[in-house]
Amino acid sequence: YKVLRFQSLHFLCVLPFVNLHPYVSLLVCGTPLNTRIVGGQDALAGSWPWQASLHRFGRHFCGGSLINKEWVLTAAHCFSSPSTSNLVVYVGRQNQKGSNPNEVDRGVTQIMSHPNYTRSTNDNDMCLLKLSSPVTFTNYIRPVCLAAPGSSFHAGTTSWVTGWGTIRSGVSLPSPKTLQEVEVPVVGNRLCNFNYGVGTITDNMICAGLAAGGKDSCQGDSGGPMVTNQGTRWIQSGVVSFGKGCALAKFPGVYTRVSQYQTWINSQISSDQPGFVTFSSSGTDSDLSVNLSPSLRISLYLALFIFPSMSPSPCCGKTSPTA
Ligand SMILES: *[C@@H]1O[C@H](CO)[C@@H](O)[C@H](O)[C@H]1NC(C)=O
């Protein structure tokens, strides 16, 4: 069965010019003070200063990422209704239980789900939240850079995912529920499609995980960021979206591919646009050598185009999200 990652991963110098232009997201994005998720570890405070926690009725239900002083990027599947009531966004938060000296909270005035989000296929699983008022950047609250169109994330690209989700399917993060971080390599779209069933993984998705499993995002991590380091910056490549179970061998986590959405994001955010940065992988992508055998290709062709009802259904048996 498939599970949406609803309800429920360094050290860099602070750049000297950051204080001169604290309001320009492109200049400050992706530069933390320091530089569960399944198989993860406690994050140090300030390591992932763009991480947001979305609460409804006082409970964490999804993650998100701060992309400028008043917008948070998250997943569309986190919102079954467009109502902003009882919604609170925390940034600068480290623990879900106990004290958080560096956090601030805001209400939400707008939930903008991507107009082409399709619940049955998880395509375009992306959403923007406008905060009730801007936040001030600190060492614990800072926007992430977003992957610009044309970014390349070859198979094996080291990535980090962060969140307060369950540590295994059905097992919640133990108190004090400290933000978890986990390192996972990108899995190419060809291989990911081969594992999930060809057609399930669209160009709007990016996969990451170990072939043997054991490290992954899970329920409650949805909407949170997958980031990759380039020089002095951290660039968000993905938004936690879905997966088959959590951390299962051959079933990597599936993320919304951020580099597909600059036009849409900038059409929603008119001032102080987020920092889009191109991520470039070097060498050749090993995913290009993932080839399907000719006989398998014929059966996939038949399944997808001649007998579409036989094609793997991405939606069957998906558990409903629970808070
Ligand atoms: C949604 O899909 C339609 C049809 O493919 C396309 O024309 C439109 O640009 C898409 N909208 C966005 C915001 O990407």
Side-chain angles (χ1 to χ4, degrees):
Y1 63 102
K2 280 236 191 127
V3 177
L4 289 169
R5 272 93 200 269
F6 190 90
Q7 175 263 354
S8 89
L9 344 184
H10 339 280
F11 287 88
L12 292 176
C13 302
V14 177
L15 300 175
F17 62 75
V18 161
N19 293 330
L20 299 176
H21 303 281
Y23 40 85
V24 180
S25 295
L26 178 59
L27 292 182
V28 298
C29 74
T31 57
L33 175 65
N34 304 313
T35 190
R36 266 214 202 165
I37 303 285
V38 179
Q41 60 198 23
D42 286 1
L44 286 174
S47 296
W48 315 106
W50 41 82
Q51 177 76 43
S53 172
L54 314 187
H55 283 225
R56 188 153 344 233
F57 299 110
R59 279 195 67 172
H60 168 91
F61 66 96
C62 269
S65 57
L66 191 68
I67 58 172
N68 71 7
K69 62 187 185 313
E70 58 183 347
W71 288 88
V72 165
L73 182 65
T74 183
H77 81 258
C78 290
F79 295 92
S80 47
S81 99
S83 164
T84 58
S85 61
N86 303 299
L87 205 53
V88 179
V89 174
Y90 294 91
V91 286
R93 171 168 274 222
Q94 176 77 347
N95 306 304
Q96 295 291 351
K97 294 265 185 277
S99 77
N100 284 291
N102 306 304
E103 86 174 357
V104 302
D105 61 81
R106 291 290 185 270
V108 173
T109 58
Q110 262 183 294
I111 301 171
M112 313 280 306
S113 285
H114 192 281
N116 291 348
Y117 166 57
T118 310
R119 194 165 285 275
S120 57
T121 61
N122 302 303
D123 205 17
N124 304 299
D125 190 4
M126 178 167 279
C127 180
L128 288 166
L129 304 179
K130 187 170 192 193
L131 304 180
S132 51
S133 66
V135 296
T136 303
F137 299 154
T138 67
N139 286 333
Y140 302 92
I141 300 171
R142 197 170 273 261
V144 68
C145 305
L146 299 178
S151 293
S152 60
F153 297 94
H154 289 177
T157 301
T158 299
S159 309
W160 289 82
V161 186
T162 46
W164 289 276
T166 56
I167 54 171
R168 288 201 299 279
S169 291
V171 181
S172 65
L173 182 61
S175 233
K177 298 183 180 288
T178 302
L179 179 65
Q180 299 291 298
E181 59 183 26
V182 72
E183 184 185 349
V184 279
V186 168
V187 173
N189 274 38
R190 288 184 183 202
L191 181 58
C192 198
N193 251 311
F194 185 73
N195 288 335
Y196 271 96
V198 172
T200 308
I201 308 302
T202 70
D203 291 346
N204 300 319
M205 302 175 187
I206 180 170
C207 304
L210 300 172
K215 289 183 172 190
D216 199 2
S217 48
C218 204
Q219 281 68 52
D221 293 321
S222 275
M226 173 164 78
V227 295
T228 295
N229 176 249
Q230 181 169 263
T232 57
R233 291 183 188 276
W234 287 89
I235 301 169
Q236 185 172 352
S237 56
V239 175
V240 179
S241 182
F242 72 98
K244 180 179 163 74
C246 296
L248 296 179
K250 296 193 179 139
F251 287 100
V254 187
Y255 300 79
T256 313
R257 191 179 283 265
V258 170
S259 60
Q260 298 283 66
Y261 296 95
Q262 181 174 10
T263 306
W264 180 69
I265 291 171
N266 280 346
S267 72
Q268 306 303 310
I269 303 178
S270 48
S271 67
D272 180 29
Q273 291 187 326
F276 280 90
V277 174
T278 303
F279 184 91
S280 306
S281 297
S282 55
T284 15
D285 190 355
S286 64
D287 194 52
L288 297 175
S289 60
V290 173
N291 267 313
L292 306 170
S293 69
S295 62
L296 192 55
R297 257 189 239 176
I298 290 169
S299 32
L300 287 170
Y301 176 82
L302 292 172
L304 285 168
F305 299 110
I306 312 292
F307 305 112
S309 60
M310 290 170 57
S311 63
S313 166
C315 57
C316 51
K318 188 188 292 170
T319 57
S320 62
T322 47

